[in-house]
Amino acid sequence: MKSRKITSLAVLRDILGPTDGHEASFAAMIDRSVSWVKKASADGGRMQPKVAQLISSKTGISADWLLKPTPFLPPVETDNHTPYTRESYDKWRSAGESYIGVDAISGAPECLAQIIGAFASAIQAGKSRLALDDLWKFSQAMRLRYGPPKSPHAAQDELVRVADELRHLAARGGEA
């Protein structure tokens, strides 16, 4: 078994979890290449202060902590005092901009169109059962994290609005 050097970036990505901490997602968030994220997470050498500041601005983690050569020290928020957790990141993100650059209401149809497209690819590849299982897990994770709709009518109205937007996207040929 190959031993891996632990870096501050690797620790941060682990805290962010399998979705936000994933190489491709994280690279998109900080506008770097996947290969940069892999290298910086594995050994990376010394992180540049400008990059640490960028990562801090996107995640709420302390740039000072990122720059320390001792990632075994507990991570802290931008105040350099409060322990950094997944909840810290969620709080920071809810106050910041969307990854996709649009608000949650107008971005929902685009995200759902991508999910439907990926599901169609799974069907074509003969993996519809696996994709359905993944979709169910995602729906359960969303429900656990955000709760059920407060009103059945609100959920129904939102579904109608999103369906209309999806029809509009489909009419444009799926250009998202």
Side-chain angles (χ1 to χ4, degrees), residues 51-65:
V51 175
Q53 197 58 49
L54 172 68
I55 293 170
S56 175
S57 73
K58 298 290 185 176
T59 64
I61 198 157
S62 166
D64 295 335
W65 179 82

Side-chain angles (χ1 to χ4, degrees), residues 156-171:
Q156 185 177 5
D157 292 346
E158 187 60 17
L159 183 59
V160 168
R161 188 195 64 73
V162 169
D164 288 343
E165 287 294 320
L166 285 170
R167 275 192 283 282
H168 179 66
L169 281 172

Side-chain angles (χ1 to χ4, degrees), residues 1-23:
M1 179 192 257
K2 202 187 242 186
S3 98
R4 293 188 297 154
K5 182 177 179 185
I6 300 290
T7 64
S8 298
L9 190 58
V11 171
L12 170 60
R13 289 181 49 220
D14 188 53
I15 291 169
L16 299 185
T19 303
D20 292 323
H22 185 270
E23 293 158 349

Side-chain angles (χ1 to χ4, degrees), residues 25-91:
S25 299
F26 194 82
M29 180 187 354
I30 64 168
D31 198 26
R32 294 286 185 272
S33 68
V34 171
S35 62
W36 184 93
V37 172
K38 285 181 181 182
K39 181 170 175 32
S41 296
D43 66 9
R46 183 126 169 88
M47 185 178 296
Q48 298 297 316
K50 189 175 183 177
V51 175
Q53 197 58 49
L54 172 68
I55 293 170
S56 175
S57 73
K58 298 290 185 176
T59 64
I61 198 157
S62 166
D64 295 335
W65 179 82
L66 283 169
L67 292 169
K68 289 185 189 217
T70 52
F72 52 83
L73 292 175
V76 290
E77 293 183 8
T78 56
D79 65 3
N80 287 321
H81 178 68
T82 307
Y84 187 84
T85 63
R86 174 60 201 216
E87 289 75 29
S88 304
Y89 173 70
D90 290 342
K91 181 179 67 176

